[in-house]
mmCIF file of all heavy atoms in Angstrom:
data_model
loop_
_atom_site.group_PDB
_atom_site.id
_atom_site.type_symbol
_atom_site.label_atom_id
_atom_site.label_comp_id
_atom_site.label_asym_id
_atom_site.label_seq_id
_atom_site.Cartn_x
_atom_site.Cartn_y
_atom_site.Cartn_z
ATOM 1 N N ARG F 62 95.741 81.722 88.478
ATOM 2 C CA ARG F 62 96.003 82.394 87.197
ATOM 3 C C ARG F 62 95.697 81.496 86.010
ATOM 4 O O ARG F 62 95.420 81.981 84.924
ATOM 5 C CB ARG F 62 97.412 82.954 87.154
ATOM 6 C CG ARG F 62 98.442 81.942 86.836
ATOM 7 C CD ARG F 62 99.839 82.354 86.672
ATOM 8 N NE ARG F 62 100.163 83.738 86.578
ATOM 9 C CZ ARG F 62 101.343 84.156 86.199
ATOM 10 N NH1 ARG F 62 102.277 83.296 85.891
ATOM 11 N NH2 ARG F 62 101.607 85.427 86.129
ATOM 12 N N ALA F 65 92.309 82.233 84.342
ATOM 13 C CA ALA F 65 92.070 83.540 83.724
ATOM 14 C C ALA F 65 92.042 83.433 82.195
ATOM 15 O O ALA F 65 92.663 82.548 81.611
ATOM 16 C CB ALA F 65 93.170 84.516 84.141
ATOM 17 N N ASP F 66 91.312 84.355 81.571
ATOM 18 C CA ASP F 66 91.375 84.489 80.116
ATOM 19 C C ASP F 66 92.610 85.279 79.722
ATOM 20 O O ASP F 66 93.165 85.091 78.648
ATOM 21 C CB ASP F 66 90.126 85.193 79.579
ATOM 22 C CG ASP F 66 88.881 84.339 79.733
ATOM 23 O OD1 ASP F 66 88.971 83.114 79.536
ATOM 24 O OD2 ASP F 66 87.817 84.904 80.051
ATOM 25 N N CYS F 67 93.019 86.193 80.594
ATOM 26 C CA CYS F 67 94.259 86.945 80.372
ATOM 27 C C CYS F 67 94.698 87.584 81.680
ATOM 28 O O CYS F 67 93.930 87.699 82.631
ATOM 29 C CB CYS F 67 94.095 87.958 79.244
ATOM 30 S SG CYS F 67 93.772 89.633 79.690
ATOM 31 N N ILE F 68 95.969 87.974 81.702
ATOM 32 C CA ILE F 68 96.599 88.617 82.851
ATOM 33 C C ILE F 68 96.943 90.040 82.435
ATOM 34 O O ILE F 68 97.453 90.259 81.333
ATOM 35 C CB ILE F 68 97.882 87.866 83.265
ATOM 36 C CG1 ILE F 68 97.561 86.420 83.653
ATOM 37 C CG2 ILE F 68 98.605 88.600 84.388
ATOM 38 C CD1 ILE F 68 98.789 85.524 83.723
ATOM 39 N N LEU F 69 96.687 91.001 83.304
ATOM 40 C CA LEU F 69 96.986 92.401 83.031
ATOM 41 C C LEU F 69 98.044 92.870 84.024
ATOM 42 O O LEU F 69 97.859 92.725 85.240
ATOM 43 C CB LEU F 69 95.710 93.231 83.185
ATOM 44 C CG LEU F 69 95.795 94.694 82.812
ATOM 45 C CD1 LEU F 69 95.744 94.844 81.299
ATOM 46 C CD2 LEU F 69 94.641 95.460 83.447
ATOM 47 N N ILE F 70 99.146 93.408 83.502
ATOM 48 C CA ILE F 70 100.233 93.919 84.344
ATOM 49 C C ILE F 70 100.723 95.252 83.785
ATOM 50 O O ILE F 70 100.396 95.616 82.663
ATOM 51 C CB ILE F 70 101.415 92.921 84.442
ATOM 52 C CG1 ILE F 70 102.054 92.670 83.071
ATOM 53 C CG2 ILE F 70 100.969 91.613 85.076
ATOM 54 C CD1 ILE F 70 103.305 91.790 83.099
ATOM 55 N N TYR F 80 107.504 86.972 83.992
ATOM 56 C CA TYR F 80 106.355 86.814 83.092
ATOM 57 C C TYR F 80 106.786 86.346 81.701
ATOM 58 O O TYR F 80 106.046 86.515 80.743
ATOM 59 C CB TYR F 80 105.576 88.131 82.982
ATOM 60 C CG TYR F 80 104.690 88.362 84.165
ATOM 61 C CD1 TYR F 80 105.157 89.038 85.288
ATOM 62 C CD2 TYR F 80 103.391 87.868 84.184
ATOM 63 C CE1 TYR F 80 104.345 89.234 86.389
ATOM 64 C CE2 TYR F 80 102.577 88.059 85.283
ATOM 65 C CZ TYR F 80 103.057 88.743 86.375
ATOM 66 O OH TYR F 80 102.256 88.925 87.475
ATOM 67 N N THR F 83 103.777 82.375 80.439
ATOM 68 C CA THR F 83 102.490 82.472 81.115
ATOM 69 C C THR F 83 101.522 81.463 80.493
ATOM 70 O O THR F 83 101.629 81.163 79.304
ATOM 71 C CB THR F 83 101.896 83.897 80.993
ATOM 72 O OG1 THR F 83 101.845 84.271 79.613
ATOM 73 C CG2 THR F 83 102.716 84.910 81.772
ATOM 74 N N PRO F 84 100.580 80.955 81.296
ATOM 75 C CA PRO F 84 99.640 79.965 80.769
ATOM 76 C C PRO F 84 98.551 80.566 79.884
ATOM 77 O O PRO F 84 97.867 79.855 79.162
ATOM 78 C CB PRO F 84 99.033 79.356 82.031
ATOM 79 C CG PRO F 84 99.113 80.451 83.045
ATOM 80 C CD PRO F 84 100.383 81.195 82.723
ATOM 81 N N VAL F 85 98.380 81.880 79.965
ATOM 82 C CA VAL F 85 97.360 82.603 79.197
ATOM 83 C C VAL F 85 97.988 83.901 78.679
ATOM 84 O O VAL F 85 99.066 84.284 79.131
ATOM 85 C CB VAL F 85 96.122 82.914 80.073
ATOM 86 C CG1 VAL F 85 95.433 81.630 80.534
ATOM 87 C CG2 VAL F 85 96.486 83.787 81.260
ATOM 88 N N PRO F 86 97.339 84.599 77.758
ATOM 89 C CA PRO F 86 97.887 85.880 77.286
ATOM 90 C C PRO F 86 98.119 86.851 78.439
ATOM 91 O O PRO F 86 97.369 86.870 79.412
ATOM 92 C CB PRO F 86 96.806 86.403 76.337
ATOM 93 C CG PRO F 86 96.098 85.188 75.862
ATOM 94 C CD PRO F 86 96.104 84.248 77.039
ATOM 95 N N VAL F 87 99.180 87.635 78.309
ATOM 96 C CA VAL F 87 99.501 88.663 79.295
ATOM 97 C C VAL F 87 99.562 90.005 78.569
ATOM 98 O O VAL F 87 100.182 90.131 77.520
ATOM 99 C CB VAL F 87 100.817 88.357 80.059
ATOM 100 C CG1 VAL F 87 101.998 88.248 79.131
ATOM 101 C CG2 VAL F 87 101.077 89.390 81.143
ATOM 102 N N VAL F 88 98.846 90.990 79.126
ATOM 103 C CA VAL F 88 98.827 92.328 78.561
ATOM 104 C C VAL F 88 99.681 93.219 79.451
ATOM 105 O O VAL F 88 99.448 93.309 80.660
ATOM 106 C CB VAL F 88 97.383 92.888 78.492
ATOM 107 C CG1 VAL F 88 97.397 94.352 78.080
ATOM 108 C CG2 VAL F 88 96.541 92.062 77.532
ATOM 109 N N VAL F 89 100.662 93.873 78.825
ATOM 110 C CA VAL F 89 101.523 94.816 79.526
ATOM 111 C C VAL F 89 101.039 96.225 79.181
ATOM 112 O O VAL F 89 101.029 96.608 78.012
ATOM 113 C CB VAL F 89 102.998 94.660 79.096
ATOM 114 C CG1 VAL F 89 103.880 95.650 79.853
ATOM 115 C CG2 VAL F 89 103.478 93.233 79.296
ATOM 116 N N LEU F 98 108.468 91.851 77.327
ATOM 117 C CA LEU F 98 108.270 90.401 77.315
ATOM 118 C C LEU F 98 108.273 89.874 75.877
ATOM 119 O O LEU F 98 107.507 88.986 75.527
ATOM 120 C CB LEU F 98 106.951 90.034 77.996
ATOM 121 C CG LEU F 98 106.811 90.459 79.450
ATOM 122 C CD1 LEU F 98 105.430 90.093 79.986
ATOM 123 C CD2 LEU F 98 107.894 89.829 80.302
ATOM 124 N N ASN F 101 107.953 86.222 75.196
ATOM 125 C CA ASN F 101 106.718 85.519 75.537
ATOM 126 C C ASN F 101 105.747 85.702 74.366
ATOM 127 O O ASN F 101 105.233 86.789 74.137
ATOM 128 C CB ASN F 101 106.107 86.075 76.826
ATOM 129 C CG ASN F 101 104.826 85.381 77.232
ATOM 130 O OD1 ASN F 101 104.150 84.761 76.421
ATOM 131 N ND2 ASN F 101 104.470 85.504 78.498
ATOM 132 N N ARG F 102 105.494 84.617 73.645
ATOM 133 C CA ARG F 102 104.633 84.713 72.456
ATOM 134 C C ARG F 102 103.192 85.088 72.809
ATOM 135 O O ARG F 102 102.418 85.479 71.937
ATOM 136 C CB ARG F 102 104.680 83.428 71.646
ATOM 137 C CG ARG F 102 104.113 82.232 72.356
ATOM 138 C CD ARG F 102 104.168 80.950 71.503
ATOM 139 N NE ARG F 102 103.544 79.845 72.196
ATOM 140 C CZ ARG F 102 102.231 79.667 72.313
ATOM 141 N NH1 ARG F 102 101.408 80.508 71.750
ATOM 142 N NH2 ARG F 102 101.743 78.639 72.978
ATOM 143 N N LEU F 103 102.815 85.002 74.097
ATOM 144 C CA LEU F 103 101.468 85.366 74.536
ATOM 145 C C LEU F 103 101.389 86.800 75.077
ATOM 146 O O LEU F 103 100.351 87.217 75.588
ATOM 147 C CB LEU F 103 100.982 84.393 75.616
ATOM 148 C CG LEU F 103 100.837 82.926 75.195
ATOM 149 C CD1 LEU F 103 100.442 82.064 76.397
ATOM 150 C CD2 LEU F 103 99.827 82.788 74.076
ATOM 151 N N ALA F 104 102.501 87.558 74.985
ATOM 152 C CA ALA F 104 102.540 88.911 75.549
ATOM 153 C C ALA F 104 102.114 89.957 74.525
ATOM 154 O O ALA F 104 102.459 89.877 73.346
ATOM 155 C CB ALA F 104 103.940 89.225 76.055
ATOM 156 N N HIS F 105 101.352 90.929 75.016
ATOM 157 C CA HIS F 105 100.888 92.056 74.208
ATOM 158 C C HIS F 105 101.207 93.325 74.975
ATOM 159 O O HIS F 105 100.959 93.398 76.178
ATOM 160 C CB HIS F 105 99.381 91.964 73.974
ATOM 161 C CG HIS F 105 98.963 90.674 73.348
ATOM 162 N ND1 HIS F 105 98.798 90.528 72.001
ATOM 163 C CD2 HIS F 105 98.718 89.457 73.902
ATOM 164 C CE1 HIS F 105 98.444 89.277 71.734
ATOM 165 N NE2 HIS F 105 98.395 88.603 72.880
ATOM 166 N N TRP F 107 100.355 97.267 75.305
ATOM 167 C CA TRP F 107 99.381 98.268 74.912
ATOM 168 C C TRP F 107 99.630 99.570 75.656
ATOM 169 O O TRP F 107 99.803 99.583 76.874
ATOM 170 C CB TRP F 107 97.964 97.806 75.216
ATOM 171 C CG TRP F 107 97.518 96.574 74.497
ATOM 172 C CD1 TRP F 107 98.084 95.994 73.398
ATOM 173 C CD2 TRP F 107 96.391 95.760 74.833
ATOM 174 N NE1 TRP F 107 97.374 94.890 73.028
ATOM 175 C CE2 TRP F 107 96.323 94.710 73.886
ATOM 176 C CE3 TRP F 107 95.422 95.817 75.835
ATOM 177 C CZ2 TRP F 107 95.337 93.737 73.918
ATOM 178 C CZ3 TRP F 107 94.436 94.855 75.864
ATOM 179 C CH2 TRP F 107 94.394 93.821 74.907
ATOM 180 N N ALA F 118 91.012 94.017 76.632
ATOM 181 C CA ALA F 118 91.376 92.637 76.982
ATOM 182 C C ALA F 118 90.137 91.751 77.027
ATOM 183 O O ALA F 118 90.168 90.612 76.554
ATOM 184 C CB ALA F 118 92.111 92.609 78.318
ATOM 185 N N THR F 121 89.102 91.068 73.508
ATOM 186 C CA THR F 121 90.093 90.294 72.758
ATOM 187 C C THR F 121 90.255 88.870 73.273
ATOM 188 O O THR F 121 90.358 87.935 72.480
ATOM 189 C CB THR F 121 91.468 91.011 72.799
ATOM 190 O OG1 THR F 121 91.298 92.354 72.338
ATOM 191 C CG2 THR F 121 92.494 90.304 71.936
ATOM 192 N N PHE F 122 90.296 88.695 74.599
ATOM 193 C CA PHE F 122 90.653 87.391 75.173
ATOM 194 C C PHE F 122 89.525 86.712 75.942
ATOM 195 O O PHE F 122 89.556 85.509 76.137
ATOM 196 C CB PHE F 122 91.870 87.532 76.095
ATOM 197 C CG PHE F 122 93.047 88.147 75.413
ATOM 198 C CD1 PHE F 122 93.473 89.411 75.763
ATOM 199 C CD2 PHE F 122 93.721 87.469 74.409
ATOM 200 C CE1 PHE F 122 94.565 89.995 75.130
ATOM 201 C CE2 PHE F 122 94.803 88.041 73.768
ATOM 202 C CZ PHE F 122 95.229 89.313 74.124
ATOM 203 N N GLY F 123 88.584 87.472 76.435
ATOM 204 C CA GLY F 123 87.511 86.914 77.239
ATOM 205 C C GLY F 123 87.313 87.734 78.501
ATOM 206 O O GLY F 123 88.138 88.575 78.847
ATOM 207 N N ASN F 125 87.265 87.048 81.820
ATOM 208 C CA ASN F 125 87.885 86.722 83.106
ATOM 209 C C ASN F 125 89.321 87.249 83.142
ATOM 210 O O ASN F 125 90.245 86.600 82.663
ATOM 211 C CB ASN F 125 87.845 85.209 83.323
ATOM 212 C CG ASN F 125 88.278 84.814 84.708
ATOM 213 O OD1 ASN F 125 88.404 85.645 85.595
ATOM 214 N ND2 ASN F 125 88.534 83.535 84.885
ATOM 215 N N ILE F 126 89.502 88.435 83.722
ATOM 216 C CA ILE F 126 90.796 89.118 83.690
ATOM 217 C C ILE F 126 91.414 89.156 85.079
ATOM 218 O O ILE F 126 90.765 89.562 86.043
ATOM 219 C CB ILE F 126 90.630 90.549 83.161
ATOM 220 C CG1 ILE F 126 89.861 90.448 81.871
ATOM 221 C CG2 ILE F 126 91.971 91.257 83.082
ATOM 222 C CD1 ILE F 126 89.967 91.419 80.855
ATOM 223 N N HIS F 127 92.659 88.708 85.165
ATOM 224 C CA HIS F 127 93.406 88.773 86.418
ATOM 225 C C HIS F 127 94.385 89.925 86.338
ATOM 226 O O HIS F 127 95.190 89.993 85.412
ATOM 227 C CB HIS F 127 94.172 87.463 86.662
ATOM 228 C CG HIS F 127 93.303 86.393 87.218
ATOM 229 N ND1 HIS F 127 93.726 85.538 88.185
ATOM 230 C CD2 HIS F 127 92.015 86.048 86.971
ATOM 231 C CE1 HIS F 127 92.747 84.702 88.492
ATOM 232 N NE2 HIS F 127 91.706 84.992 87.755
#
Side-chain angles (χ1 to χ4, degrees):
R62 80 176 349 192
D66 292 321
C67 99
I68 300 165
L69 186 78
I70 62 175
Y80 281 90
T83 54
V85 297
V87 59
V88 172
V89 180
L98 300 177
N101 180 339
R102 65 180 183 77
L103 297 176
H105 304 265
W107 298 344
T121 306
F122 304 111
N125 189 12
I126 309 206
H127 280 220

